[in-house]
């Protein structure tokens, strides 16, 4: 399992949107249990407050069942650029902690 954003990986067959909204034309799967529960949470400006509220949401899920539902090759997508704070990395941290696994950010393709 990896994380990425719609621009870099939105057409990958393993892409799974975990955001409240998706880009127009996105044809991949969606998994709403990993999306922020409300638009108010999406708009939360304080990262610490967001983390606390979102982690509370994630703690109600079963991490193993989540991975089984998504598949080991899933690429979890949201909107932010790599390196920016985003909820997909909070999801990755949660999965890593709960399952003792690694959920890296997918590297952008190299153009040469």
């Amino acid at each position: 399992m990896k994380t990425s954003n719609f621009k870099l990986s939105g057409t990958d067959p393993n892409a799974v949107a975990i955001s409240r909204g998706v880009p127009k034309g996105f044809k991949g799967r969606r998994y709403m249990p990993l999306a922020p529960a409300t638009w108010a949470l999406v708009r939360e400006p304080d990262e610490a407050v967001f983390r606390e509220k979102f982690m509370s949401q994630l703690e109600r899920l079963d991490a193993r069942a989540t991975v089984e539902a998504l598949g080991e090759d899933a690429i979890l997508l949201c909107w932010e650029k790599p390196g920016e704070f985003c909820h997909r990395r909070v999801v990755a941290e949660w999965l890593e902690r709960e399952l003792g696994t690694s959920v890296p950010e997918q590297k952008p393709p190299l153009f040469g």
Side-chain angles (χ1 to χ4, degrees):
M1 186 167 290
K2 296 178 182 175
T3 62
S4 188
N5 68 18
F6 289 109
K7 183 175 181 180
L8 295 174
S9 303
T11 59
D12 190 292
N14 294 316
V16 180
I18 61 168
S19 54
R20 294 219 46 88
V22 296
K24 193 176 261 187
F26 177 74
K27 304 235 185 287
R29 295 184 297 153
R30 295 184 78 182
Y31 193 77
M32 294 307 289
L34 295 180
T38 65
W39 282 107
L41 183 55
V42 171
R43 293 183 193 101
E44 174 56 57
D46 186 312
E47 182 180 327
V49 172
F50 175 89
R51 280 181 173 277
E52 180 181 338
K53 290 180 179 181
F54 189 56
M55 193 57 71
S56 175
Q57 175 185 326
L58 294 176
E59 295 294 338
R60 293 189 293 266
L61 301 174
D62 180 308
R64 191 159 312 284
T66 298
V67 171
E68 288 173 9
L70 295 171
E72 292 286 336
D73 294 333
I75 303 170
L76 308 179
L77 304 182
C78 72
W79 295 85
E80 284 71 29
K81 294 176 185 173
E84 291 181 0
F85 173 74
C86 65
H87 86 284
R88 72 178 180 262
R89 293 308 310 157
V90 177
V91 169
E93 293 166 11
W94 171 70
L95 290 169
E96 290 171 343
R97 187 183 74 246
E98 292 294 311
L99 302 175
T101 188
S102 176
V103 182
E105 181 78 4
Q106 182 162 296
K107 303 284 187 220
L110 297 175
F111 298 101

